Amino acid sequence: MKTFGKIICGMAVALLIAAAQAKADVVLVYYSFNTNDVTLLPGPSANTNTWLTASIDQNGGSVFSFKTANGLATAFAGINANNQPGYPANSSFGHNLWTGTTNYFQFTLNTTGYENLILTFAANRSATGVTNLLFQYDIGAGFQTINAALAITAASNVAYTNGLPTDLNNQSSAIIRFTSNGALAGGTFRVDNLTVTGTEIIPEPSTVFLVGLGLAGLIAVRRRSS
């Protein structure tokens, strides 16, 4: 009887400790775009002729793809901003014929078990490149625009941060897309150190309290039966 009670109490304490722990940011996906950190995959269709695997992929299955004016993309010089530890600025990923809203970069994402998602990345553009970057997402019901356009600074390696909607929390399959609402023919846009972080979904204190009541009930039942 005492052993059973100790086990139940131990389980309750463990649940309370887990609920009290601070939620730490976890890197779910990171694309360094360094040639030695990614794997090139065959594209599934025209104008997406290269897919890249992620340098860090917490839940697995993330791939990066693109659609450009001529189906080609270029490895540019790397950017230091926003790079993860152990991943030096080697190369970045871009396109030098970006036009209007017809081009995009996108990647798939598995956020199972995570919430409070944040997208960060470094970017650069030419004078005729992407002036306003748009973000869209799709979890199976078609692409939705995340928020207002983000202005991209010309000729400057800048890190940008964008919160992701709660629709993307705890999703086994999602797509995040970079597109634009303005770029002249021949404009250059490049991205580097693309990162999505999140915090692990853990029981709320009220849930833990209810579980604790259930465990206390088990102890009471055990005592009566003994």
Side-chain angles (χ1 to χ4, degrees):
M1 168 58 201
K2 291 183 179 179
T3 301
F4 179 78
K6 288 179 180 179
I7 292 173
I8 296 298
C9 289
M11 292 172 62
V13 170
L15 283 170
L16 290 170
I17 292 174
Q21 287 178 337
K23 294 182 178 181
D25 287 337
V26 175
V27 176
L28 299 183
V29 166
Y30 173 61
Y31 284 90
S32 69
F33 298 112
N34 294 342
T35 55
N36 59 326
D37 292 325
V38 299
T39 300
L40 300 180
L41 304 174
S45 61
N47 293 330
T48 55
N49 61 358
T50 303
W51 280 22
L52 305 176
T53 61
S55 303
I56 299 174
D57 192 357
Q58 174 71 19
N59 285 341
S62 182
V63 290
F64 180 97
S65 60
F66 61 90
K67 180 178 181 180
T68 60
N70 60 2
L72 301 175
T74 303
F76 290 88
I79 302 173
N80 282 316
N82 200 54
N83 58 319
Q84 292 292 316
Y87 293 91
N90 182 324
S91 57
S92 59
F93 190 87
H95 182 56
N96 58 11
L97 290 174
W98 195 284
T99 305
T101 60
T102 60
N103 296 345
Y104 61 77
F105 295 158
Q106 70 179 30
F107 63 99
T108 58
L109 181 64
N110 181 348
T111 67
T112 301
Y114 293 89
E115 60 185 356
N116 303 319
L117 306 173
I118 302 293
L119 169 68
T120 57
F121 62 97
N124 198 335
R125 70 171 177 89
S126 67
T128 56
V130 174
T131 55
N132 296 298
L133 197 63
L134 295 175
F135 302 96
Q136 299 175 324
Y137 71 95
D138 182 12
I139 54 175
F143 280 97
Q144 305 290 324
T145 300
I146 292 177
N147 55 14
L150 177 66
I152 301 298
T153 305
S156 181
N157 297 330
V158 177
Y160 299 90
T161 300
N162 204 84
L164 297 177
T166 56
D167 287 354
L168 290 166
N169 293 349
N170 202 31
Q171 294 289 332
S172 61
S173 179
I175 301 173
I176 298 177
R177 175 176 289 185
F178 290 54
T179 184
S180 71
N181 65 0
L184 301 176
T188 297
F189 172 67
R190 62 188 176 105
V191 65
D192 202 0
N193 302 319
L194 177 60
T195 309
V196 175
T197 60
T199 57
E200 189 173 2
I201 298 173
I202 58 177
E204 296 298 329
S206 58
T207 302
V208 175
F209 177 72
L210 291 174
V211 172
L213 287 178
L215 294 175
L218 285 175
I219 293 174
V221 170
R222 179 78 177 195
R223 284 175 175 172
R224 291 193 189 98
S225 62
S226 59

